[in-house]
Amino acid sequence: TQLLEQSPQFLSIQEGENLTVYCNSSSVFSSLQWYRQEPGEGPVLLVTVVTGGEVKKLKRLTFQFGDARKDSSLHITAAQPGDTGLYLCAGEVIQGAQKLVFGQGTRLTINP
Amino acid sequence: EAQVTQNPRYLITVTGKKLTVTCSQNMNHEYMSWYRQDPGLGLRQIYYSMNVEVTDKGDVPEGYKVSRKEKRNFPLILESPSPNQTSLYFCASSLRRQINSPLHFGNGTRLTVT
């Protein structure tokens, strides 16, 4: 069962545009992590959000955790070609032991 | 340099021929895990280990084995590979498996089973 749905799965935009990627679930998460993966490499952690409603900024990237801790968004302002990559959200679900569940990913392409 | 090292990076094999993908981390992490990544399905956990000699099944453990005899190593074993195990495999580790403990991933092993 896929607990985390990311949308869109593919996004191709021009340099300088803004975009938002969504990560949604019907489950409550104790925290949510965002990773970026580039071709030939493993995912690299960008940010972890823990508190409902929390907003974190990483340069031009803004991450928000939903108030109910069921969803999250990643907003990129003035996208650059260097932002190109696969973005993955991952939620921590407490099921006895803590478990990290990944979304399908959003493949982002920023065209010069 | 702190890292998770997987070998090999690429592997092509035939159905039924046993293989091992090695994973080693130099960060003294307690927690290690194996994932497979398939288009449209994201990362799915195969097995994980909370510490030495402690392993447990993830979401898709069928056809795989693991061992954790030393803290730094966590090999993935396919006793009799089948074509549906063709995938991109990632090993990951973290200091411990708890909230805010980020995963550090290796660079992946692309496996093709014919």
Side-chain angles (χ1 to χ4, degrees), chain B residues 8-39:
Chain B
R9 290 294 307 274
Y10 301 91
L11 181 56
I12 300 174
T13 191
V14 296
T15 299
K17 186 176 181 183
K18 180 180 178 179
L19 67 92
T20 299
V21 183
T22 63
C23 174
S24 180
Q25 50 91 6
N26 62 0
M27 296 169 279
N28 202 35
H29 283 171
E30 292 178 354
Y31 179 89
M32 298 186 74
S33 181
W34 276 103
Y35 294 87
R36 59 179 289 173
Q37 186 174 37
D38 301 289

Side-chain angles (χ1 to χ4, degrees), chain A residues 22-74:
Chain A
Y22 299 94
C23 180
N24 294 304
S25 176
S26 57
S27 301
V28 176
F29 298 105
S30 55
S31 71
L32 198 135
Q33 300 173 357
W34 283 92
Y35 291 80
R36 182 167 77 195
Q37 183 180 7
E38 301 194 21
E41 298 181 8
V44 175
L45 180 72
L46 295 173
V47 77
T48 301
V49 284
V50 179
T51 308
E54 183 176 3
V55 176
K56 280 193 174 177
K57 295 197 176 201
L58 193 65
K59 296 183 181 177
R60 293 175 293 98
L61 279 61
T62 302
F63 304 85
Q64 184 162 9
F65 203 10
D67 291 340
R69 290 185 291 134
K70 292 183 179 181
D71 54 81
S72 181
S73 63
L74 157 61

